[in-house]
Amino acid sequence: MPIQPADVLYTAVATAENGRDGRVATDDGTLDVVVNPPKEMGGSGTGTNPEQLFAAGYSACFQGALAVVARREKADVTGSTVTAKVGIGKNDDGFGLIVEISANIPNVDGETARALLKKAHEVCPYSRATRGNITVTLV
């Protein structure tokens, strides 16, 4: 169920200038970066790009969800890392995204790690927002 405006605890605000070949900055100035298309898409590749920004946000959010799930399950995820690979490519509607989430969880066995990833994928706000819209693979 979607949250309601009254339930919002924090709102991030970012403004882009010149789309994928310009600049994006947050209203508080903590993020201010040049964005350029990657070389693979005909750009200069000298700045970051929306896919890298999405991967950064998704991996951080997923790591947080993993920690929440681990606390519930009494699992030790100390020293774990989460990596998000975000691909962009052409589809029937123009362009689409695909995501691979991988995690290194050194203090649990493989079966426990897979179970934690699945549960984190259920509660992560990025996973919930993209569910049914893009393919997300857990590794």
Side-chain angles (χ1 to χ4, degrees), residues 28-89:
D28 63 3
T30 59
L31 179 72
D32 189 342
V33 295
V34 171
V35 289
N36 299 116
K39 289 182 180 180
E40 296 85 348
M41 294 179 67
S44 68
T46 57
T48 190
N49 59 65
E51 292 70 40
Q52 289 175 328
L53 295 170
F54 186 73
Y58 203 158
S59 63
C61 189
F62 201 96
Q63 178 79 39
L66 179 64
V68 167
V69 168
R71 278 194 297 278
R72 289 181 192 159
E73 301 288 321
K74 300 196 181 345
D76 182 5
V77 295
T78 304
S80 65
T81 59
V82 172
T83 301
K85 295 180 182 178
V86 176
I88 184 170

Side-chain angles (χ1 to χ4, degrees), residues 19-139:
R20 297 181 69 89
D21 202 2
R23 175 180 163 262
V24 65
T26 56
D27 64 335
D28 63 3
T30 59
L31 179 72
D32 189 342
V33 295
V34 171
V35 289
N36 299 116
K39 289 182 180 180
E40 296 85 348
M41 294 179 67
S44 68
T46 57
T48 190
N49 59 65
E51 292 70 40
Q52 289 175 328
L53 295 170
F54 186 73
Y58 203 158
S59 63
C61 189
F62 201 96
Q63 178 79 39
L66 179 64
V68 167
V69 168
R71 278 194 297 278
R72 289 181 192 159
E73 301 288 321
K74 300 196 181 345
D76 182 5
V77 295
T78 304
S80 65
T81 59
V82 172
T83 301
K85 295 180 182 178
V86 176
I88 184 170
K90 291 184 179 183
N91 64 15
D92 292 340
D93 298 325
F95 284 89
L97 299 176
I98 188 167
V99 175
E100 178 184 288
I101 300 286
S102 61
N104 179 7
I105 311 172
N107 298 323
V108 300
D109 61 77
E111 184 178 327
T112 301
R114 283 186 288 282
L116 290 171
L117 283 179
K118 286 181 182 177
K119 290 177 181 179
H121 188 49
E122 292 301 313
V123 300
C124 172
Y126 274 60
S127 293
R128 294 176 76 160
T130 59
R131 189 163 290 121
N133 298 312
I134 63 174
T135 300
V136 178
T137 304
L138 304 176
V139 178

